[in-house]
């Protein structure tokens, strides 16, 4: 029903579009985040794309993700990657995970390709990273996560390395900022219908432009945009389903060239979200003797759950705004805010994380567990800042002063995850009428953070010095009640931290820009106490986890080209992780540290008319550099120290290359062909480092055709076919234990018919 409604809107949009004149247009963009005259070095080097607007081809020239100001990527002394609309469409990315696949040092689909439709789980430089939308944090939660469909997005900006100085609490890997499509003062529209994959059908529309003048005397100050999508089909595992529908309206008011206010709404339903399960390593990474003369591996579409028990039903709604006002030629104010509500009802029967699915498992029986949660989230986020441009003698300053705040309230019904009936892999029964274990706890947790940040980008001739600092106050508090007894445990964990950043970059006339930078991050610890007699019998709250990074690199943009090359060398330390205190039972010590040393390279280029490419590689050396903890070696059943061992699910090496070419003349005029190769190096599969997940090489392909070259009446229509994992490679994206490994997606093929006007 959701899809039929969307398809009806598609048909209506297409019908009205046929009556409209079909002329090529270029969408306009308001940019009130620009620097003062002469503030941008080597202005001739940069393309037409703005810091948050459409990306020309595959190469963005400016971004706000690294500085919260309109800064050329070439002048940002930290590794920044930007994925534009063209790349998302060329690769047919159906999730943020899939959009990030070709980004160096980013490891996607931690819960396998199947799980990527439900959650956006990925690592940057070996660490989990948060998602932001329009510069504001999206609340992280497994069962009520507010997934963002890529069709809503204009671009995806990634900054790698600690970024707390601008964004508050976050890990050392970096952050991903999703940038919404917003209204333009040029009429435009798009509809598409897509089929393929796992018997899936997707359809969407994106229409907008200025409000017609006849609507009123102030109509010329307003522009609108309306985006919608429906998605229905089977999931990647047997018996599972995928279903999604969203509507995303937005309205921009521009009373003058100095002021712009955009209001963005969104409502989304995900009643079915595919598959989230994993399987034992014996049967995926390693062959398994299933008995009855059957030896091998589980099929990639195997399902370990129960169709009547399985549930992932999510609803989200949000309203937000983006306000920009140029107070004077050298002073700008920016404000963004959003209220978001999300709820999720999760139930699952899944492969048990137990020794029954360990390294010596044999036979057809898979041990399972069952459980679920109900979660509701209310999230309010706001960010306000002022940017001032001024000179002090020979120094040109771009100064930033800001305050942001977030309050995320989470209400959770949870319970135990007891054993479920085992599953016979050779004759699976997906209709066992398994009872759901009753919820046992109810929690109402509020997480708050307020931060004040300052930054100064100082330019002297061709030298760029950036200094920044931030102070955060955070608190997590609220009750958790045991339903059977009514006993309530209250949590109240305050934290505060100062983080800083400093960098130096020199831009040569040739377009070469070497740089060095230092940056910090922090993450509050909400569980555990440090034994300290000065704080009595309860001890004290641990200090936040702290991270720092030293990075040195070279960026290169040949003058007059749309080519951007970035090489970065980095050293990251994440410290203050907790371990059990052996001398004081019930307490913890902060002795854990993880270190990463790495190098990454990224190339983005619009090489010639119709030819675009992206490529890169990363090498990571990540390990536990300090730790007093131990982990179980499942092969020897002995405890072994964690220090010196490598974290799971992080390939030491990744590499990728994607090329797209559109014929612009000759008999193949209108034809586009492209393809990519992704290499995922081996990764460790358990904390004791007793086995590795093998490397994999994946091939993607795309063919498109502009149908106007077939018949002039088909102006605006394009046809595209995408194949991901073209060679149907069977591969495991990663494991976190012998009992938890995750398949990547098999070959998927989608055909898309798109109409733009």
């Amino acid at each position: 029903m959701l899809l039929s409604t969307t398809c009806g809107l598609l048909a209506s949009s297409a019908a009205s579009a046929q009556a409209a004149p079909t002329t090529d247009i270029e969408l306009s963009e308001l940019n009130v985040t620009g620097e003062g005259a002469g503030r941008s070095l080597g202005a001739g080097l940069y393309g037409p794309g703005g810091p948050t607007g459409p990306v020309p081809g595959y190469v963005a020239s400016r971004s706000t993700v690294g500085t919260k100001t309109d800064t050329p990527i070439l002048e940002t002394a930290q590794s920044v990657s930007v994925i534009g609309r063209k790349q998302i469409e060329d690769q047919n990315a159906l999730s943020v995970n899939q959009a990030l696949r070709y980004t160096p040092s980013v490891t996607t689909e931690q819960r396998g390709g199947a799980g990527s439709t439900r959650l956006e789980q990925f690592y940057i430089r070996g660490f989990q990273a948060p998602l932001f939308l329009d510069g504001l944090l999206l609340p992280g939660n497994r069962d009520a996560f507010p997934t963002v469909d890529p069709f809503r997005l204009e671009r995806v900006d990634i900054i790698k390395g600690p970024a707390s100085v601008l964004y508050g609490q976050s890990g050392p890997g970096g952050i991903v900022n999703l940038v919404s499509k917003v209204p333009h003062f040029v009429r435009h529209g798009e509809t598409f219908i897509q089929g393929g994959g796992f018997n899936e059908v997707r359809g969407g529309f994106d229409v907008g432009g200025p409000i017609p003048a006849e609507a009123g005397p102030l109509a010329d100050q307003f522009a609108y945009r309306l985006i919608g999508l429906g998605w229905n089909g089977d999931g990647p595992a047997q018996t599972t389903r995928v279903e999604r529908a969203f509507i995303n309206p937005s309205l921009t008011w521009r009373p003058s060239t100095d002021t712009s206010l955009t209001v963005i709404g969104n409502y989304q339903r995900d009643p079915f979200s595919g598959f989230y399960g994993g399987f034992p390593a014996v049967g995926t990474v390693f062959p398994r003797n299933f008995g009855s003369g059957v030896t091998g591996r589980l099929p990639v579409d195997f399902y370990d759950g129960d169709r009547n028990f399985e549930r992932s039903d999510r609803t989200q709604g949000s309203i937000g705004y983006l306000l920009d006002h140029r107070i004077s030629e050298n002073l700008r104010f920016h404000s963004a805010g959003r209220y978001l509500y999300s709820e999720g009802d999760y139930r699952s029967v899944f492969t048990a994380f137990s020794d029954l699915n360990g390294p010596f498992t044999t036979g057809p029986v898979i041990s399972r567990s069952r459980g679920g949660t109900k979660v509701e989230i209310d999230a309010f986020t706001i960010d306000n800042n002022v940017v001032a441009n001024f000179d002090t003698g020979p120094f040109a300053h771009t100064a930033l002063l800001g305050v942001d705040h977030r309050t995320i309230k989470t209400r959770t019904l949870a319970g135990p995850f007891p054993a479920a009936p085992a599953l016979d892999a050779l004759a699976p029964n997906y209709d066992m009428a398994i009872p759901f274990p009753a919820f046992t706890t109810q929690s109402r947790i509020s997480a708050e953070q307020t931060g004040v940040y300052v930054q100064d980008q100082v330019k002297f001739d061709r030298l760029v010095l950036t200094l920044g600092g931030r102070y955060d106050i955070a608190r997590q508090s609220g009750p958790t009640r045991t339903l059977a007894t009514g006993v309530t445990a209250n949590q109240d964990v305050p934290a505060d931290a100062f983080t800083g950043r400093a960098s130096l970059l020199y831009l040569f006339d040739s377009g070469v820009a070497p740089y060095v930078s230092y940056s910090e991050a922090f993450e509050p610890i909400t569980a555990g106490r440090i034994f300290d007699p000065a704080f009595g019998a309860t001890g004290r709250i641990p200090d936040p986890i702290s991270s720092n990074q030293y990075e040195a690199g070279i960026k290169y943009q040949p003058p007059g080209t749309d080519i951007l090359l970035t090489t970065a060398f980095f050293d990251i330390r994440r410290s203050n992780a907790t371990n059990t205190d052996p001398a004081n039972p019930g307490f913890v010590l902060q002795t854990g540290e993880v270190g990463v040393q790495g190098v990454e390279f990224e190339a983005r280029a619009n090489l010639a008319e119709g030819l675009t490419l992206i490529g890169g590689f990363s090498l990571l050396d990540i390990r536990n550099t300090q730790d007093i903890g131990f982990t179980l070696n499942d092969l020897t059943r002995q405890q072994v120290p964690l220090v010196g061992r490598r974290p799971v699910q992080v390939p030491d090496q990744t590499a990728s290359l994607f090329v797209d070419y559109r014929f612009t003349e000759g008999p193949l005029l209108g034809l586009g062909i492209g393809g990519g190769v992704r290499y995922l190096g081996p990764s460790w599969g358990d904390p004791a480092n007793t086995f590795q997940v093998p490397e994999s090489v994946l091939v993607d392909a795309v063919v498109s055709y502009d149908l106007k070259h077939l018949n002039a009446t088909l102006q605006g229509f394009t046809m595209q076919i995408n194949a991901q994992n073209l060679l149907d490679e069977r591969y495991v994206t990663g494991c976190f234990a012998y009992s938890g490994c995750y398949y990547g997606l098999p070959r998927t093929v989608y055909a898309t018919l798109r109409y733009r006007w």
Side-chain angles (χ1 to χ4, degrees), residues 399-419:
L400 172 74
L401 172 63
V403 179
D404 62 25
H405 174 80
R406 70 181 71 145
T407 296
I408 300 173
K409 296 182 178 181
T410 306
R411 298 174 295 281
T412 305
L413 281 169
F417 286 80

Side-chain angles (χ1 to χ4, degrees), residues 561-599:
T561 70
D562 275 339
I563 300 173
L564 181 61
L565 310 178
T566 303
T567 301
F569 302 85
F570 50 90
D571 188 313
I572 300 174
R573 289 291 182 270
R574 181 179 185 267
S575 307
N576 278 354
T578 58
N579 299 115
T580 300
D581 186 343
N584 298 283
F587 292 92
V588 297
L589 296 174
Q590 294 191 265
T591 58
E593 180 184 89
V594 176
V596 182
Q597 293 180 319
V599 58

Side-chain angles (χ1 to χ4, degrees), residues 108-274:
T108 63
E109 297 160 305
Q110 251 52 56
R111 292 296 291 247
S116 69
T117 58
R118 183 176 297 190
L119 295 179
E120 305 296 358
Q121 294 177 319
F122 50 84
Y123 292 165
I124 302 178
R125 292 183 173 176
F127 300 97
Q128 289 185 344
L131 266 180
F132 286 69
L133 176 62
D134 298 320
L136 304 172
L137 178 72
L138 288 172
N141 185 282
R142 182 192 64 187
D143 303 329
F145 180 77
T147 303
V148 178
D149 193 284
F151 190 59
R152 290 171 50 189
L153 302 178
E154 189 66 67
R155 55 195 276 171
V156 179
D157 292 33
I158 306 106
I159 183 168
K160 302 170 189 175
S164 284
V165 72
L166 293 177
Y167 297 99
Q169 54 183 290
S170 59
I175 69 112
V176 172
N177 183 47
L178 312 176
V179 180
S180 297
K181 294 176 178 177
V182 295
H184 297 279
F185 283 83
V186 177
R187 192 170 70 86
H188 64 93
E190 169 188 351
T191 63
F192 79 91
I193 188 75
Q194 181 181 83
F198 305 99
N199 300 313
E200 298 165 70
V201 178
R202 298 174 72 244
F205 60 88
D206 177 2
V207 296
I211 301 294
E214 55 269 23
L218 300 179
D220 60 345
Q221 297 181 8
F222 292 88
Y224 76 97
R225 193 162 191 167
L226 183 63
I227 306 168
L229 177 139
W231 182 2
N232 200 318
D234 294 335
Q238 299 172 37
T239 81
T240 62
R241 293 177 57 191
V242 173
E243 187 174 323
R244 168 175 296 169
F246 75 78
I247 190 76
N248 184 238
S250 56
L251 181 70
T252 291
W253 176 44
R254 189 190 297 178
S256 70
T257 57
D258 292 327
T259 303
S260 173
L261 172 64
T262 297
V263 178
I264 305 173
N266 186 70
Y267 177 78
Q268 181 170 315
R269 285 281 291 123
D270 290 272
F272 300 96
S273 301

Side-chain angles (χ1 to χ4, degrees), residues 374-412:
K374 278 190 175 181
V375 181
E376 294 180 87
I377 299 173
D378 289 285
F380 174 74
T381 51
I382 188 169
D383 183 19
N384 301 290
N385 60 60
V386 176
V387 178
N389 298 118
F390 59 91
D391 296 333
T392 56
F395 303 102
H397 299 261
T398 299
L400 172 74
L401 172 63
V403 179
D404 62 25
H405 174 80
R406 70 181 71 145
T407 296
I408 300 173
K409 296 182 178 181
T410 306
R411 298 174 295 281
T412 305

